[in-house]
Amino acid sequence: QAPAPAASSPSVVAPAAVMPAPAAVGGIQGQNIFEVKPDASETPGYASQTNGERARVQPGNNAPMWHQVGAGATGYSSLPKAQAPEAGNLIQPFVQYPGSRLTNAGEAWRQVRNHWLIPYGGALLLIVAGAIALFYMGKGSIKLHGAKTGRRVERFTPFERSAHWANAIAFSILAISGIVMAFGKFFALPVMGAMLFGWLAYALKNLHNFAGPVFVVSLLIVFFTFVRDNLPSRGDLRWLLKGGGLLSGKEVPSHRFNAGEKLVFWGGVFFLGMVVVASGLVLDKLLPSLVYERGTMQIAHMVHAVATVLMMAMFTGHIYIGTIGMEGAYEGMRTGYVDETWAKEHHEFWYDDIKAGRIPVQRSEPAPPAGPTVQA
Amino acid sequence: MLLTKKSPGLSGQAAHRPGTARFVQSLARGLSNALPTMDRRAFLRRSGLGVGVGLAASQLALVRKARAAAPGEAGGNSKIEVKRTVCSHCSVGCAVDAVVENGVWVRQEAVFDSPINLGAHCAKGAALREHGHGEYRLRYPMKLVNGKYERISWDTALNEITERMLALRKESGPDSVYVIGSSKHNNEQAYLLRKWMSFWGSNNCDHQARICHSTTVAGVANTWGYGAMTNSYNDMQNSKCALYIGSNAAEAHPVSMLHMLHSKEKGCKMIVVDPRFTRTAAKADEYVRLRSGSDIPFLFGVLHHIFKNGWEDTQYINDRVYGMDKIKEEVLAKWTPDKVEEACGVNEATVLKVATMMSQNRPSTIVWCMGQTQHTTGNAIVRASCILQLALGNVGKSGGGTNIFRGHDNVQGATDVGPNPDSLPGYYGLAEGSWKHFAKAWGVDFDWIKGRYATPAMMGKPGITVSRWIDGVLEKNEFIDQDSNLRGVFYWGHAPNSQTRGLEMKRAMDKLDLLVVVDPYPSATAAMAAMPGKAEDLNPNRAVYLLPAATQFETSGSVTASNRSLQWREKVIEPLWESRSDHMIMQQFADRLGFGKELSKNFKMQQVRGMDEPMPEEILREINKTCWTIGYTGQSPERLKAHMRNMHLFDVKTLKSRGGKDKETGYDTTGDYFGLPWPCYGTPELKHPGSPNLYDTSKHVMEGGGNFRANFGVEREGKTLLAEDGSHSLGADITTGYPEFDHLLMKKLGWWDELSDAEKAAAEGKNWKTDSLGGIIRVVMKNHGCHPFGNAKARAVVWNFPDAIPQHREPLYGIRPDLVAKYPTHDDKKAFWRLPTLYKTLQDKNIADKVHEKFPLILTSGRLVEYEGGGEETRSNPWLAELQQEMFIEINPKVAADKGIRNGERAWVSTPTGARLNVQALVTERVGPDTVFMPFHFSGRWQGADMLAYYPAGAAPVVRGEAINTGTTYGYDSVTMMQETKTTVCNVEKA
Amino acid sequence: MARMKFVCDAERCIECNGCVTACKNENEVPWGVNRRRVVTLNDGVPGEKSISVACMHCSDAPCMAVCPVNCFYRTDEGVVLHDKDICIGCGYCSYACPFGAPQFPSTGSFGVRGKMDKCTFCAGGPEVNGSQAEFEKYGRNRLAEGKLPACAEMCSTKALLAGDGDVVADIFRNRVVQRGKGAEVWGWGTAYGSRQAGQPPAGGKS
Ligand SMILES: Nc1nc2c(c(=O)[nH]1)N[C@H]1C(S)=C(S)[C@@H](COP(=O)(O)OP(=O)(O)OC[C@H]3O[C@@H](n4cnc5c(=O)[nH]c(N)nc54)[C@H](O)[C@@H]3O)O[C@H]1N2
Ligand SMILES: Nc1nc2c(c(=O)[nH]1)N[C@H]1C(S)=C(S)[C@@H](COP(=O)(O)OP(=O)(O)OC[C@H]3O[C@@H](n4cnc5c(=O)[nH]c(N)nc54)[C@H](O)[C@@H]3O)O[C@H]1N2
Ligand code: HEM
Ligand code: HEM
Ligand code: SF4
Ligand code: SF4
Ligand code: SF4
Ligand code: SF4
Ligand code: SF4
Ligand SMILES: [Mo]
């Protein structure tokens, strides 16, 4: 009897396994089978035939369609596009994300996330945390060299501070919740158990989703507030070349913000911040008129994850220096005022400017006398 | 890091909540134990559909039964019952097991045992349980007051309506009231409604069959006897080739495809001929696109090749067909390949291929549906199909036949025994003999009925058809063939958006004195009536009432599937809200109209919610005692119920019982065909098994065999109309052709004395159709193996039709004036079904007006699998509604590009009636560049505006859309008044 | 041990959506959540094929691998289920799933999705078998009742088969042999890996 068309058409995907040699069974009874042209695959354009054209020469050979499916072709589904934009896709299209095999997008995304983002991102965060811890244990915090003068200059206005803290708080929430979402199942789940962890993650996930927009707004404000003083200026290069004097122990003069801070500002606040914000807004489905397809979400997620991990790494440093890493820095951000000594040691040019009267000592309205942050 | 929990049951968790858990668990177990038929084995076994059963079964051991725990504990105090019912959507007749807990329909299970559907359902059937929710139903009677529907009591409603009816009767006679009955009614309700109408005194009643298969019924019955599907869905498993022409079974009869696709796997070839590349076409071996309305050129083109090559079955034609020579002559001369291609657009090679496939793979079958029937030439098209099958010798053969897929769940039954304007139940005509037959059975005086009618003449005059009721209202009185115009209309289980010429229907609705809608979902009619129309059309005295009818799941009764099998539905739940069953409503009206006693003289009453309701079993018994003609007499309620309980005994391929007794009654099903497909002749005691395939001479008549009916005389133009010698059903005592039996023939043959004395008394002076004890039938069939309706030839030439030989005629609205010149339509008719009817004048006018230039696209319409009919019921079912949320129009990419319309955009569709419909564009190659398609299931938007405000509060369906019939045009079949819904014209513009 | 799988026979599926509404009905799935859907390729042109798709209960399930709270689990029968009490509605499973099976009751802003819902192979969830809580969260547990998925049982053409992978593959193979065409077991390669894409030797699977 005639051979199964599947067997005679090599382009049918994996039929051999599905349908082991049917020879023993009483022949092929489908009549169309006799119309199969064994040499159909020789015809010109065979490879580019549509499913319908293929059916003409090799009935039942649906290879063209399965290729389409594999390529993520969108078929018809009666569900409205607005409600289910991807209902017509059988399988996600084949893609190759950086770090994945060429496979369907869902699997590719899974590979990127599970094989790269989670392990290496987690490792990076651990390394940064470890490095800072080692640095701290080794060198301790950067102390003031001179004695405090007791004279204080205003470093941050209340507006600047509230913007910064809103931003800082949102960031902390986002970072903690983000870490729990991404890595929680490795460290928290085994300890807490599924149910408790589930609740925690649920709470944090929702917190993350709502803190995100807060972060977006505060970040923009922070950006515009600080952008002027973060513009490159003379001395930055020297500061950088000398590594901020971190190794020499001798501070390099700088303006209000030193080149290190400017790097954080432009690299972290501006570049990573914008990337995180943009990807976060997509993930949060807050951009109107965008169709939130899975492919979009996957890309947004990968971008988000990379940017947030880098941002977390960077700001771990920032936070370290802003708190235990440097004497007096935190005070400045908390109270708005720094001792002249601090200003002179860390931001000499800025100090000079103040002394020269180019920058007022007090930029904000003088605080009411009873206020805790006013000079003692 | 993957969690792997052990099997689905978490015994640990069970321990946490012992109280509830055990109760609920036992409930679940109770449930599953209550259902004997639905385990995995059965499903998998049936999934193989006989193929490789052995193999599948041997591996079933691998299917682990995951039963949670040992059954045992009773299901608490909740009462769980399983009711077997039948899907109420289409004519396939899929069985459903409804699980009812404390009166609430909680689950629906597949009935694997059903030989018809083997547990399978399409979207509608699988969503049936929503009927148990009925959230969007009308909950209580309502009346239109100042443009808003207000709640009233049943008593008020019934009293006010009957008062109005009696007033109309007094002023304008009984014919001023028109009742549109329903193919949704079960047989008993449909029958009772025809009886009800007769006692009211008018033939002005009709139902969906008119706009569905009326042309089929007339055409086919006039060809060989009965107007029904000859074989069955199941029998298509025996076909070697199937030609679907004008049927989109995959959407309209999805479960029929179960049998077809199985058949196809075994080698059956499948051909689909349709203007659209449908879901059915996607499954075909050969798809042929033809121009809508040109089926005759195509069919005769096929026949041309058959005759030319001598592929016709000459022996068969000689023995069993009258007039084929005339057809041959005409077809060979007239339908040459060039003419065929010109008229239907199909080239010679394709036509030849179809002819070859049909001829070389016999038995071959033909399937048709609305693509053939809904035309001004419907009656001729369906006959062309019959002729093709006769030429090939396919009729009366297993695997062959004309498989005419019927429409609504009980359109077959309602046609057989229901409210037809031109016949009494069982196709008994309106002649005095018929009336007397029924008067006797009904136990009323013939003269009393006569007195109920306006005049004795009106008693014999076919009524107006549902397709034209609007003209009964709008037409000038002097032109209509009854005293008064229509002034009162009942929509008793019928939607308004299923009839053409919606704009005029709105005017007609406004003109009425009385509009009553009896329906579980009356809202489409309600909204249309409440919507403000033109002030000058509105009758200030108009009264509109909505009465909530119960669905078929809230009552019991029999329903006839397309294959003529009758199935008994058990009552699943009590009527929801304030609804009442249709037969209860009929009785309550009759009581108030003064013929309540007469209506139910033969019936016992049962109490439903404390009110009297005629028992469906009793009504069926009356049908059994009257409808001899079509063999609705053997299907007693007991036999039907035994079949429903023992579905597993019936073979899927033959529908025949493999033998076995009903445990409950001891009834032996041996030899019966499932559902006793009519004709199931004689009394139930005769135990006729039903007829699986009509006119099948290879079987004994007592085993469902038969031959063509002698219904048109015995001779014409010197040629015999009876079958040739030797052509008879297996084992018949008479081996020649013979006429139908009456007392005289019985006596002549010397068979009279085989009747008992009582039978003789009943049969004296009667024929087999009016013999009230069925004695003639018993003797003829059982003792002599003969057929009571005689043994004759089928008629290829139906001389009593306008076109004795089917003629192609162009539609009234078309885009091909060149063809109109060659194939013009009929001349106008003056009094046709009581109304003047236009053909030629309108066609000519359209050409003169250059309608084809303004409306250059052929507009055709049809079905979507998710919705049914006018769609108000299915669009109220959220499970279905979600799947089709927009009314759309299919447009070919080429046309769309020309018009600048992109997929998903809105479009305006305008038609020659002046209607403008706002719909979504679906750009697809499903239709060719000359054709557009719209589904007809939508309503609730009117020329761009939402009608939501006009619906009774809470009773608007989930999805609303523009109704195509708002824009459809004039045009009616020349025999049955079928409306033309498959071929009209339109224009499409970007919205 | 039975390994539950779906086969959708593209030569038979007619896009009737019976499977879809059967699922809605049996599991009372709300509007907007489609555990199963039907996709038609080459719609309206020769070569058209429809396929009904839901969760394939993958062997190496991507959804399971990316879930941040590990709420997925696999039953002895290979059915991939999840725990809605733990799910945080992050949507990652839907990004990862090749077949688009995971569904969410809400598509609102702020990433609010509600608890994920998907085809359970009619096997309920982690609650007590047949309990009201199980039904409300996951739908029916038909497997525990000894029944197979509602969608497949009601499929109008028996295109959709569900059950032990070996058995359904056999039924399917029989059809293929009968008709001599349409041999692709759709989706198996993606869901079960190329090793399982074909039919394991009868009875030979451990
Ligand atoms: N889902 C669903 N199923 C139903 C129903 C429903 O409403 N919904 N209704 C039931 C009822 S009442 C009926 S009558 C049946 C109807 O069942 P069908 O008749 O099968 O359904 P339709 O879609 O009306 O028409 C069938 C096909 O006829 C084609 N057609 C149009 N014009 C022509 C022509 O001139 N020639 C030919 N050859 N074909 C043409 C159309 O393109 C369409 O594909 O379905 C029944 N089943
Ligand atoms: N353009 C266009 N028009 C068409 C067609 C087409 O193909 N194209 N097809 C035509 C055909 S074939 C048909 S059959 C018709 C169908 O059209 P209709 O039969 O008018 O449509 P349905 O909506 O099914 O109407 C049935 C009504 O009965 C109600 N009902 C259901 N069960 C019961 C019950 O038990 N009792 C009562 N009292 N009511 C009940 C339902 O709620 C519904 O309102 O449409 C025709 N119109
Ligand atoms: C710098 C601050 C942010 C950090 C450190 C951060 C971190 C993370 C991390 C680690 C994840 C989890 C990735 C994973 O599990 O694979 C995540 C997910 C997410 N983030 Fe952020 N993110 C930040 C800002 C934002 C912002 C600004 C938004 C929104 C405007 C946002 C919205 C989201 C969303 C929507 C998700 C997906 C998870 C979910 O839907 O719940 N994130 N983020
Ligand atoms: C808990 C977390 C944080 C702490 C404790 C902290 C602390 C500080 C401190 C002490 C300063 C003052 C440094 C100086 O006086 O030069 C500072 C400056 C600043 N911080 Fe933070 N910070 C935190 C988080 C953030 C975050 C999340 C951002 C933005 C994404 C941010 C952006 C800035 C900026 C823009 C400045 C001004 C200096 C510059 O432009 O480089 N901080 N922070
Ligand atoms: S609509 Fe027809 S095919 Fe579908 S389930 Fe009901 S009876 Fe069966
Ligand atoms: S089909 Fe999707 S949801 Fe189902 S197991 Fe596979 S990946 Fe998970
Ligand atoms: S949505 Fe739920 S199930 Fe899916 S990955 Fe997130 S937590 Fe897991
Ligand atoms: S297996 Fe059950 S849950 Fe899954 S799609 Fe089918 S019916 Fe729905
Ligand atoms: S029920 Fe069967 S045939 Fe219908 S769409 Fe689903 S899988 Fe296809
Ligand atoms: Mo119909």
Side-chain angles (χ1 to χ4, degrees), chain A residues 5 18 79 89 114 135 137 187 194 209 246 252 275 280 316 348:
Chain A
V18 180
L79 292 167
N89 278 65
N114 284 15
F135 183 85
M137 284 188 285
F187 66 86
N209 289 177
L246 204 62
V252 186
V275 173
T316 311
E348 207 177 336

Side-chain angles (χ1 to χ4, degrees), chain B residues 59 107 121 279 866 882, chain C residues 15 17 24 26 154 170:
Chain B
Q59 300 220 340
R107 275 179 94 171
H121 290 299
R279 294 272 181 260
E866 293 86 359
E882 189 184 354
Chain C
E15 205 243 346
N17 277 321
K24 291 253 170 190
E26 181 70 350
M154 288 191 189
D170 268 328

Side-chain angles (χ1 to χ4, degrees), chain A residues 218-270:
Chain A
S218 59
L219 188 77
L220 288 174
I221 295 171
V222 164
F223 175 78
F224 286 112
T225 314
F226 293 114
V227 66
R228 211 173 55 112
D229 291 328
N230 277 301
L231 294 173
S233 56
R234 97 193 128 83
D236 285 349
L237 202 63
R238 199 169 79 100
W239 195 96
L240 282 178
L241 290 175
K242 298 218 161 179
L246 204 62
L247 299 174
S248 63
K250 173 90 185 61
E251 303 282 340
V252 186
S254 68
H255 284 274
R256 185 171 178 217
F257 300 125
N258 62 40
E261 284 176 295
K262 288 180 182 175
L263 270 188
V264 171
F265 183 86
W266 289 107
V269 175
F270 178 72

Side-chain angles (χ1 to χ4, degrees), chain C residues 87-159:
Chain C
C87 168
I88 62 171
C90 65
Y92 291 179
C93 45
S94 73
Y95 306 164
C97 172
F99 303 100
Q103 301 281 304
F104 296 90
S106 142
T107 52
S109 297
F110 294 103
V112 176
R113 294 179 176 80
K115 305 277 181 178
M116 188 272 275
D117 188 85
K118 74 167 186 69
C119 160
T120 63
F121 209 84
C122 286
E127 307 287 339
V128 178
N129 282 346
S131 63
Q132 191 61 26
E134 184 188 51
F135 174 62
E136 276 162 16
K137 286 185 207 161
Y138 308 99
R140 300 280 177 194
N141 189 338
R142 294 174 64 90
L143 289 198
E145 295 168 13
K147 302 174 201 160
L148 283 163
C151 52
E153 285 199 339
M154 288 191 189
C155 167
S156 65
T157 60
K158 308 289 175 193

Side-chain angles (χ1 to χ4, degrees), chain B residues 756-798:
Chain B
S756 72
D757 288 342
E759 282 172 340
K760 277 183 191 163
E764 187 58 56
K766 299 279 163 65
N767 63 23
W768 68 284
K769 295 176 285 196
T770 48
D771 162 15
S772 62
L773 288 183
I776 298 178
I777 293 174
R778 181 183 66 80
V779 170
V780 168
M781 297 191 90
K782 201 166 178 188
N783 297 3
H784 300 283
C786 287
H787 209 297
F789 71 27
N791 176 16
K793 284 181 177 163
R795 297 193 298 172
V797 173
V798 176

Side-chain angles (χ1 to χ4, degrees), chain B residues 685-730:
Chain B
E685 294 72 39
L686 182 65
K687 274 209 81 192
H688 187 271
S691 312
N693 303 323
L694 297 177
Y695 326 118
D696 182 356
T697 52
S698 71
K699 292 197 190 95
H700 190 277
V701 286
M702 283 305 290
E703 273 157 18
N707 45 50
F708 293 128
R709 181 176 182 178
N711 206 22
F712 317 104
V714 295
E715 195 200 79
R716 180 156 176 98
E717 291 167 357
K719 286 194 186 140
T720 176
L721 289 173
L722 298 180
E724 296 299 325
D725 293 358
S727 170
H728 55 84
S729 55
L730 187 73

